[in-house]
Amino acid sequence: RYLGFYGAIALFVALGQSGPSQAQSSFAAAYTEPQTLATLAGGRKINLVCAGPQENGAPTVILTAGAAFWSASWNAVQPLVARTMRVCTWDRPGFGFSDPSPATQTVANLVEDLAAALKAANIPAPYVLVGQSAGSFETLQFADTHRSDVAGMVLVDPSLPDMNQRVGAISPPALAMLRGDLMGRAGANQRCAANPAQPTPADAVICFRLPEHERPLAGTFAVRDHDAARLQTRASYYEQFEANTRMVANPARNYGNMPLEILTSEKTPVADLPVEQAAHDALEALWNKGHDEMATLSRRGSNRVVPGA
């Protein structure tokens, strides 16, 4: 329930109040089956969905989804970007059409997988990196470790580095709720992995229920999502989440003159946390201040609040 604070919220900035366009509706089919399966060392495959024109030397936009989401969560955004630029989204290990991974799902390992997948799929730098909510962790880490490959960055309502420590300093009850949600998800996926054929109803909701935009794919994932290795990979992702918030904290981070855009939703995820008013106000301030701080990582950085989001 409270994963929203980590950014598992959908933000379709480009659509406003309109319904999906014909281009968006037709492009949705791209998420119903594997597209570009990049083979990594050892034979694991990472799925990428790419579209749009590729001009010589022009950057490719790389979209990273929020926690618990995968490439399909960009279904309303990717076709709009693809009108003018090459744009690729990817599935983390164990999500979408990417294979599970035996590695601990640290942000460092996730970025290594993404970099290897881009190389294997012959998608050359430069990149404009776009990370939504918890996808900001891979985005920041990729820019830190592959700086010469990154031409610019957009962070869409990003989760904050070292967020748990900062939340705990304001409201221990809020931190306890966030930790409880993550550990609940990790535990459910571990139990589902041990008994994928007969999960408890409560665990099945966490392991197998799809978000609204994915529900037409229920048949596609009915068998795939019951794979034990896939469920264990997801459990590792949730287990490592708090450590990843610390890992991605980097006080020396400086992106110089790189274009950097932060988009902040008008209604923050904090709004739904059942905490006392003083803690609520302080957490709201933390969320907005954190985004302002991210914008200062570049001399060309800015933070914009998106009305109605």
Side-chain angles (χ1 to χ4, degrees):
R1 178 179 175 186
Y2 301 113
L3 196 63
F5 191 76
Y6 291 103
I9 54 175
L11 181 61
F12 297 130
V13 176
L15 286 181
Q17 299 300 312
S18 65
S21 69
Q22 183 177 355
Q24 290 154 353
S25 299
S26 61
F27 189 78
Y31 306 108
T32 63
E33 58 187 22
Q35 296 296 312
T36 299
L37 290 174
T39 303
L40 310 187
R44 284 193 301 117
K45 291 179 170 57
I46 294 291
N47 181 54
L48 300 110
V49 180
C50 298
Q54 179 67 71
E55 297 182 12
N56 251 354
T60 297
V61 178
I62 307 297
L63 304 171
T64 299
F69 287 163
W70 53 291
S71 56
S73 68
W74 290 107
N75 71 87
V77 176
Q78 187 170 10
L80 299 180
V81 181
R83 293 174 182 174
T84 55
M85 299 183 71
R86 190 67 173 167
V87 52
C88 299
T89 186
W90 66 295
D91 299 336
R92 293 182 182 91
F95 290 87
F97 289 101
S98 286
D99 289 341
S101 170
T104 304
Q105 293 301 282
T106 65
V107 68
N109 286 336
L110 287 164
V111 166
E112 284 183 14
D113 277 357
L114 174 57
L118 293 173
K119 182 177 181 180
N122 296 313
I123 301 171
Y127 308 118
V128 172
L129 303 178
V130 181
Q132 191 260 325
S133 54
S136 65
F137 294 162
E138 289 100 327
T139 302
L140 291 166
Q141 182 78 5
F142 193 104
D144 288 350
T145 55
H146 300 77
R147 179 65 187 86
S148 62
D149 291 340
V150 181
M153 187 186 300
V154 180
L155 299 177
V156 184
D157 222 27
S159 299
L160 307 180
D162 217 3
M163 186 165 63
N164 283 39
Q165 181 178 347
R166 299 172 76 175
V167 169
I170 293 171
S171 174
L175 177 59
M177 285 185 284
L178 300 176
R179 283 177 170 165
D181 185 77
L182 287 166
M183 289 303 99
R185 289 170 180 267
N189 276 275
Q190 289 287 14
R191 291 188 295 272
C192 288
N195 187 14
Q198 292 183 308
T200 67
D203 286 348
V205 169
I206 294 174
C207 298
F208 306 124
R209 184 179 180 184
L210 299 176
E212 185 69 36
H213 65 267
E214 297 176 20
R215 284 177 194 163
L217 305 180
T220 301
F221 290 107
V223 174
R224 189 180 187 92
D225 272 354
H226 285 69
D227 175 72
R230 187 172 169 88
L231 292 161
Q232 288 166 349
T233 301
R234 294 183 179 186
S236 179
Y237 176 77
Y238 296 122
E239 289 165 354
Q240 292 301 310
F241 200 97
E242 183 165 352
N244 285 339
T245 70
R246 295 191 298 269
M247 183 178 292
V248 81
N250 178 4
R253 184 176 287 128
N254 185 333
Y255 295 139
N257 203 40
M258 182 185 76
L260 171 62
E261 185 82 17
I262 315 295
L263 301 177
T264 298
S265 58
E266 185 174 45
K267 178 184 177 183
T268 73
V270 179
D272 295 325
L273 284 175
V275 294
E276 60 184 25
Q277 189 62 45
H280 175 274
D281 293 345
L283 290 169
E284 287 268 8
L286 169 66
W287 189 255
N288 291 303
K289 179 184 177 184
H291 289 182
D292 287 338
E293 290 171 350
M294 284 184 173
T296 68
L297 296 175
S298 168
R299 292 189 295 275
R300 295 174 65 185
S302 67
N303 176 26
R304 285 196 293 122
V305 174
V306 181

